[in-house]
Amino acid sequence: MDLGTTKYIIYTELIADGYVEKHDVIGAIFGQTEGLLSNELDLRDLQKSGRIGRIDVELENINGKSFAKITLPSSLDKVETSILAATLETIDRVGPCFATVKITEVEDIRVSKRQYITNRARSILRKLMDEMIDTYEITEEIKESLRTEEIMEYGPENLPCGPNIIHSDSIIVVEGRADVLNLLRCGIKNTVAVEGTSVPKSIMELTKKKTTTAFTDGDRGGELILKELLQTCDIDYVARAPYGKEVEGTSKKELMKCLRAKVPVEQIVGNNCNGSGVIESNTPKEIVEPITPKHFEKVETPAVIEPVFKEDAIEEETIIVEPVKKAETEIIDVDATNETQSEKKFSGVKEIVDSIKNTGNVKFVVDGTEKTNTFKEFLTNIHEIKKMDFFAADMPISQKIVDLLYDKTPIIVGKEINVTKKPVNLRLFSFDEIVA
C-alpha cells in the first residue's frame, strides 16, 4: 500500500450471506455511502482529490459466505476520518446479499512513524557512542602502534627484538615474537626472542656480552626452554610468568612484578627448584625432600638483596640490571647413615605400592597415620584433608589429580604418570619406578 501523505488507516471487516466478488464490495462502499454526507465527504470526490487512497479488499468465499477485509487510507483529520469510518458501517447489502460491516481499528500512521523515528534515533546514537574514543584511549592507541612498529630483527636468524637490544647493557630473553610485542607495550625495549626450543647461536653469543635475564612462560614449555637456555647460554637471572600463564598474555602489572622477583641463577641450583635446577615463579619457599638414595640439607643463608625498579623509568628506558649481593649457600652431603635411612623410606613406599596393587584403592599418610580408601571415598572426604605426607593410587595419575592434590602433598605415586604440567615442588613416581 502506497501511504503517501496518509495520516490514518481504517481497517474494516465485512461478512456477506452469499457469494460476492471484489467489485461487488467496492461498488457497495461507494454506492451505499453516496449522498449520506455532504459533498465534502463524498468518497468519489475524496478519492479524486487524493484525500483518501486506494481501497484494498481481501476476499474469501467459504461455504457459501463471503468474508472481506477492507483497508481505507485517509489523509483527512481525525474527526472527518472517524465520520467516514462510521459511515462504512451503514453498508447492509453487497450485491444481492445481506451484509454486515464492522470497523476493527483506525490506526494513526504518525504514531508508527514516531515509534520508528525513536527506535532509529536510539540505534544511531548507540553507534555514535560506541565509536567515540576518549583522549586517554587515543593516546594509548597511538603509543601502542608506535611501540609495535619498533619491533626489529637481530642476527642472521632474524630474531624478533626490541630497538635497544644492541646498546643496552642488559637484555631479557623471551620465547617468541608475541612476548617481545607485549613487553614493548609495557615500555620494555631490551628484549629478544629465541623463537623455538633450540637456542640460536646469536643469542648464545649475546648473553656472554650482556647481563641476561631469562623470562619464560609459567608452563611446561617455558620450563623446557629455560633448561635449554641454562645449558647453552650465560644466564645471570631467571624470571617466570605466573603458573599456567604465558608472557604474551600477562598484564603490565604482573610483568613488572615477575621481573622484580627475578632470581640470580646461582640460587636456583638446589633451591626452589623442580629437581632439574629450574625454578618457577611464585614457588613456595618450603623445599620438599625428594625420594632419592641420597639426601641433602640446606644451610640457612642471608637474605638476597634484589634490585629496585621504578615503573615510570621502565616505561621510558630499558631495564637496567643492578648487581645483586649473592647469598652464600653451602650444600653439605649427609653422612652414609642417611643413605640407609633413605633406603628404608624407599622400601616403605614399595610396601605401600604392593599393598594397593590391583585393588583400585588409594593409600595416603596423614600425620604419620596410613589410611586406605576407595578413590570415590577419598574424593568425598578430600575437603577435610589439609596436608598429606604421601599419596598413592592404584590408577594412572592424570593432570586433574595433580591439580587437585599438588598443594596437599609433596609426593604422588600411581600406576603411570599422564600429566602435561607438573608443579615445581611436587614429586611424581610411577609404580615401575618404585619397583625398579
Side-chain angles (χ1 to χ4, degrees), residues 204 207-212 229-230 232-236:
M204 297 182 194
T207 59
K208 295 176 182 178
K209 304 173 186 176
K210 299 178 182 288
T211 304
T212 304
L229 287 170
L230 291 174
T232 58
C233 301
D234 187 3
I235 303 297
D236 299 286

Side-chain angles (χ1 to χ4, degrees), residues 151-152 158-162 172-184 191-197 203 215-217 222 225 229 246-248:
I151 192 166
M152 301 174 65
N158 296 324
L159 303 171
C161 66
I172 300 173
V173 179
V174 294
E175 295 183 27
R177 180 186 179 85
D179 300 339
V180 175
L181 283 172
N182 195 25
L183 287 165
L184 276 174
T191 56
V192 62
V194 296
E195 287 285 80
T197 53
I203 287 187
F215 189 16
T216 57
D217 296 341
I225 291 175
L229 287 170
E246 298 179 345
V247 173
E248 64 184 87

Side-chain angles (χ1 to χ4, degrees), residues 10 84 147 192 217 252 257 309 395 409 430:
I10 302 170
L84 188 62
R147 288 165 183 164
V192 62
D217 296 341
K252 180 178 179 179
K257 184 177 179 181
F309 290 87
M395 63 180 65
T409 180
S430 67

Side-chain angles (χ1 to χ4, degrees), residues 10 16 40 156 160 170 210 213 224 254 290 359 403 417-418:
I10 302 170
E40 295 178 356
S170 62
K210 299 178 182 288
T213 299
L224 294 175
E254 288 180 314
T359 64
D403 292 342
I417 308 299
N418 298 321

Side-chain angles (χ1 to χ4, degrees), residues 26-34 39 41-52 55 84:
I26 298 295
I29 292 172
F30 283 102
Q32 294 187 42
T33 59
E34 187 176 6
N39 292 334
L41 292 177
D42 183 75
L43 285 178
R44 295 184 190 278
D45 293 338
L46 292 172
Q47 196 170 54
K48 286 179 183 178
S49 64
R51 299 180 70 187
I52 66 168
I55 301 173
L84 188 62

Side-chain angles (χ1 to χ4, degrees), residues 363-409:
K363 180 168 282 192
F364 51 98
V365 180
V366 179
D367 295 330
T369 303
E370 291 186 11
K371 298 183 180 182
T372 304
N373 284 142
T374 65
F375 189 61
K376 185 175 181 181
E377 291 172 338
F378 175 76
L379 289 178
T380 303
N381 300 318
I382 186 65
H383 64 280
E384 299 176 359
I385 303 173
K386 294 184 178 179
K387 200 72 178 175
M388 294 182 290
D389 301 324
F390 176 85
F391 175 84
D394 184 33
M395 63 180 65
I397 301 301
S398 65
Q399 188 65 51
K400 287 185 178 180
I401 295 176
V402 169
D403 292 342
L404 179 66
L405 300 181
Y406 80 89
D407 61 343
K408 293 180 180 291
T409 180

